[in-house]
Short mmCIF file of all heavy atoms in Angstrom, two decimals:
data_model
loop_
_atom_site.label_atom_id
_atom_site.label_comp_id
_atom_site.label_asym_id
_atom_site.label_seq_id
_atom_site.Cartn_x
_atom_site.Cartn_y
_atom_site.Cartn_z
N GLY A 98 24.83 9.84 19.63
CA GLY A 98 24.19 10.15 18.33
C GLY A 98 23.13 11.21 18.40
O GLY A 98 23.16 12.15 17.67
N LEU A 99 22.40 11.17 19.56
CA LEU A 99 21.42 12.28 19.74
C LEU A 99 22.06 13.61 20.00
O LEU A 99 21.66 14.61 19.56
CB LEU A 99 20.43 11.92 20.78
CG LEU A 99 19.51 10.64 20.49
CD1 LEU A 99 18.66 10.27 21.64
CD2 LEU A 99 18.66 10.91 19.18
N ASP A 100 23.22 13.53 20.82
CA ASP A 100 23.88 14.74 21.08
C ASP A 100 24.59 15.35 19.91
O ASP A 100 24.71 16.58 19.79
CB ASP A 100 25.04 14.46 22.21
CG ASP A 100 24.38 14.44 23.55
OD1 ASP A 100 23.19 14.71 23.74
OD2 ASP A 100 25.07 14.03 24.53
N SER A 101 24.92 14.54 18.95
CA SER A 101 25.58 15.10 17.77
C SER A 101 24.46 15.51 16.74
O SER A 101 24.86 15.92 15.61
CB SER A 101 26.58 14.17 17.08
OG SER A 101 26.66 13.02 17.64
N GLY A 102 23.30 15.49 17.06
CA GLY A 102 22.29 16.16 16.22
C GLY A 102 21.46 15.13 15.44
O GLY A 102 20.73 15.52 14.52
N ALA A 103 21.43 13.88 15.83
CA ALA A 103 20.49 12.87 15.18
C ALA A 103 19.09 13.18 15.78
O ALA A 103 18.96 13.56 16.88
CB ALA A 103 20.86 11.44 15.47
N ASP A 104 18.08 13.01 14.86
CA ASP A 104 16.70 13.15 15.34
C ASP A 104 16.09 11.84 15.83
O ASP A 104 15.14 11.89 16.59
CB ASP A 104 15.87 13.73 14.27
CG ASP A 104 16.35 15.13 13.70
OD1 ASP A 104 15.97 16.08 14.34
OD2 ASP A 104 17.17 15.15 12.77
N ASP A 105 16.63 10.81 15.41
CA ASP A 105 16.15 9.48 15.80
C ASP A 105 17.18 8.54 15.33
O ASP A 105 18.10 8.69 14.60
CB ASP A 105 14.84 9.23 15.13
CG ASP A 105 13.93 8.16 15.91
OD1 ASP A 105 14.53 7.69 16.88
OD2 ASP A 105 12.85 7.91 15.50
N TYR A 106 17.04 7.34 16.01
CA TYR A 106 18.03 6.26 15.62
C TYR A 106 17.31 4.88 15.51
O TYR A 106 16.18 4.76 16.13
CB TYR A 106 19.11 6.20 16.54
CG TYR A 106 18.69 5.84 17.98
CD1 TYR A 106 18.56 4.50 18.32
CD2 TYR A 106 18.50 6.82 18.90
CE1 TYR A 106 17.96 4.21 19.62
CE2 TYR A 106 18.04 6.51 20.09
CZ TYR A 106 17.74 5.24 20.50
OH TYR A 106 17.38 4.97 21.68
N LEU A 107 17.79 4.02 14.82
CA LEU A 107 17.24 2.64 14.78
C LEU A 107 18.37 1.74 14.82
O LEU A 107 19.48 1.84 14.17
CB LEU A 107 16.48 2.57 13.40
CG LEU A 107 15.38 1.53 13.32
CD1 LEU A 107 14.36 1.51 14.41
CD2 LEU A 107 14.72 1.72 11.91
N THR A 108 18.25 0.61 15.58
CA THR A 108 19.35 -0.31 15.75
C THR A 108 19.17 -1.47 14.75
O THR A 108 18.07 -2.01 14.60
CB THR A 108 19.34 -0.95 17.12
OG1 THR A 108 19.38 0.24 18.06
CG2 THR A 108 20.50 -1.77 17.45
N LYS A 109 20.28 -1.73 14.07
CA LYS A 109 20.31 -2.86 13.08
C LYS A 109 20.31 -4.22 13.82
O LYS A 109 21.14 -4.18 14.80
CB LYS A 109 21.41 -2.81 12.18
CG LYS A 109 21.35 -1.62 11.12
CD LYS A 109 22.72 -1.70 10.41
CE LYS A 109 22.72 -0.83 9.14
NZ LYS A 109 23.92 -0.92 8.43
N PRO A 110 19.70 -5.22 13.48
CA PRO A 110 18.75 -5.29 12.42
C PRO A 110 17.35 -4.74 12.87
O PRO A 110 17.04 -4.95 13.97
CB PRO A 110 18.67 -6.86 12.02
CG PRO A 110 18.97 -7.45 13.34
CD PRO A 110 19.85 -6.49 14.12
N PHE A 111 16.66 -4.13 11.82
CA PHE A 111 15.34 -3.60 12.18
C PHE A 111 14.31 -4.17 11.25
O PHE A 111 14.67 -4.66 10.08
CB PHE A 111 15.45 -2.07 12.11
CG PHE A 111 15.96 -1.56 10.84
CD1 PHE A 111 15.18 -1.42 9.72
CD2 PHE A 111 17.26 -1.20 10.79
CE1 PHE A 111 15.70 -0.93 8.54
CE2 PHE A 111 17.84 -0.75 9.62
CZ PHE A 111 17.04 -0.63 8.50
N ALA A 112 13.08 -4.05 11.60
CA ALA A 112 12.03 -4.41 10.75
C ALA A 112 11.69 -3.32 9.77
O ALA A 112 11.65 -2.14 10.30
CB ALA A 112 10.81 -4.81 11.50
N PHE A 113 11.54 -3.61 8.53
CA PHE A 113 11.35 -2.46 7.52
C PHE A 113 10.16 -1.53 7.90
O PHE A 113 10.28 -0.40 7.78
CB PHE A 113 11.33 -3.05 6.15
CG PHE A 113 11.41 -2.00 5.09
CD1 PHE A 113 12.68 -1.43 4.78
CD2 PHE A 113 10.30 -1.59 4.45
CE1 PHE A 113 12.74 -0.48 3.82
CE2 PHE A 113 10.38 -0.52 3.48
CZ PHE A 113 11.58 0.06 3.15
N PRO A 114 9.02 -2.14 8.29
CA PRO A 114 7.95 -1.30 8.65
C PRO A 114 8.21 -0.32 9.78
O PRO A 114 7.73 0.85 9.83
CB PRO A 114 6.86 -2.27 9.14
CG PRO A 114 7.14 -3.49 8.43
CD PRO A 114 8.69 -3.57 8.42
N GLU A 115 9.14 -0.68 10.67
CA GLU A 115 9.60 0.17 11.73
C GLU A 115 10.28 1.35 11.14
O GLU A 115 10.04 2.53 11.60
CB GLU A 115 10.48 -0.54 12.68
CG GLU A 115 11.23 0.31 13.71
CD GLU A 115 10.37 0.53 14.94
OE1 GLU A 115 9.82 -0.50 15.49
OE2 GLU A 115 10.26 1.71 15.36
N LEU A 116 11.15 1.14 10.21
CA LEU A 116 11.93 2.13 9.57
C LEU A 116 10.95 3.16 8.89
O LEU A 116 11.08 4.38 9.01
CB LEU A 116 12.87 1.58 8.57
CG LEU A 116 13.65 2.56 7.68
CD1 LEU A 116 14.56 3.44 8.45
CD2 LEU A 116 14.36 1.90 6.54
N VAL A 117 10.01 2.55 8.11
CA VAL A 117 9.07 3.43 7.43
C VAL A 117 8.28 4.29 8.41
O VAL A 117 8.03 5.49 8.22
CB VAL A 117 8.11 2.57 6.56
CG1 VAL A 117 7.04 3.43 5.97
CG2 VAL A 117 8.84 1.84 5.51
N ALA A 118 7.84 3.71 9.56
CA ALA A 118 7.09 4.51 10.57
C ALA A 118 7.94 5.66 11.12
O ALA A 118 7.43 6.80 11.22
CB ALA A 118 6.69 3.54 11.67
N ARG A 119 9.24 5.40 11.43
CA ARG A 119 10.09 6.37 11.89
C ARG A 119 10.31 7.49 10.88
O ARG A 119 10.33 8.67 11.25
CB ARG A 119 11.52 5.84 12.29
CG ARG A 119 11.41 4.72 13.26
CD ARG A 119 11.27 5.25 14.63
NE ARG A 119 11.39 4.10 15.57
CZ ARG A 119 12.54 3.92 16.30
NH1 ARG A 119 13.52 4.79 16.23
NH2 ARG A 119 12.66 2.84 17.10
N LEU A 120 10.47 7.13 9.62
CA LEU A 120 10.77 8.08 8.58
C LEU A 120 9.39 9.03 8.40
O LEU A 120 9.53 10.17 8.21
CB LEU A 120 11.10 7.50 7.25
CG LEU A 120 12.55 6.78 7.25
CD1 LEU A 120 12.58 6.05 5.88
CD2 LEU A 120 13.54 7.96 7.31
N ARG A 121 8.26 8.34 8.49
CA ARG A 121 7.08 9.05 8.32
C ARG A 121 6.92 10.12 9.49
O ARG A 121 6.55 11.25 9.27
CB ARG A 121 5.86 8.10 8.33
CG ARG A 121 4.70 8.60 7.64
CD ARG A 121 3.61 7.55 7.57
NE ARG A 121 4.05 6.41 6.81
CZ ARG A 121 3.71 5.14 7.16
NH1 ARG A 121 2.86 4.90 8.08
NH2 ARG A 121 4.11 4.15 6.35
N ALA A 122 7.23 9.60 10.69
CA ALA A 122 7.19 10.59 11.81
C ALA A 122 8.13 11.71 11.67
O ALA A 122 7.83 12.94 11.88
CB ALA A 122 7.47 9.84 13.13
N LEU A 123 9.33 11.46 11.20
CA LEU A 123 10.29 12.53 11.02
C LEU A 123 9.97 13.49 9.95
O LEU A 123 10.20 14.60 10.02
CB LEU A 123 11.70 11.92 10.72
CG LEU A 123 12.53 11.41 11.85
CD1 LEU A 123 13.78 10.89 11.37
CD2 LEU A 123 12.73 12.61 12.84
N SER A 124 9.42 12.96 8.80
CA SER A 124 9.06 13.88 7.70
C SER A 124 7.92 14.68 8.12
O SER A 124 7.78 15.86 7.71
CB SER A 124 8.85 13.11 6.40
OG SER A 124 7.76 12.25 6.55
N ARG A 125 7.01 14.17 8.89
CA ARG A 125 5.91 14.93 9.43
C ARG A 125 6.37 16.13 10.32
O ARG A 125 5.90 17.27 10.14
CB ARG A 125 4.85 14.12 10.25
CG ARG A 125 3.71 13.62 9.46
CD ARG A 125 2.56 13.33 10.48
NE ARG A 125 2.97 12.36 11.54
CZ ARG A 125 2.91 11.04 11.36
NH1 ARG A 125 2.34 10.53 10.28
NH2 ARG A 125 3.35 10.19 12.30
N ARG A 126 7.31 15.78 11.20
CA ARG A 126 7.87 16.70 12.05
C ARG A 126 8.58 17.80 11.39
O ARG A 126 8.44 19.02 11.65
CB ARG A 126 8.84 16.02 13.03
CG ARG A 126 9.11 16.80 14.28
CD ARG A 126 10.26 16.22 15.01
NE ARG A 126 10.02 14.74 15.46
CZ ARG A 126 11.04 14.03 16.01
NH1 ARG A 126 12.15 14.53 16.11
NH2 ARG A 126 10.86 12.72 16.22
N GLY A 127 9.33 17.46 10.38
CA GLY A 127 10.04 18.41 9.57
C GLY A 127 9.07 19.37 8.88
O GLY A 127 9.47 20.49 8.65
#
Side-chain angles (χ1 to χ4, degrees):
L99 294 175
D100 280 348
S101 0
D104 297 275
D105 201 358
Y106 61 82
L107 204 50
T108 304
K109 289 176 170 180
F111 51 82
F113 194 75
E115 169 87 49
L116 172 67
V117 173
R119 303 285 189 100
L120 288 173
R121 206 175 297 145
L123 278 182
S124 59
R125 262 202 305 268
R126 203 191 298 172

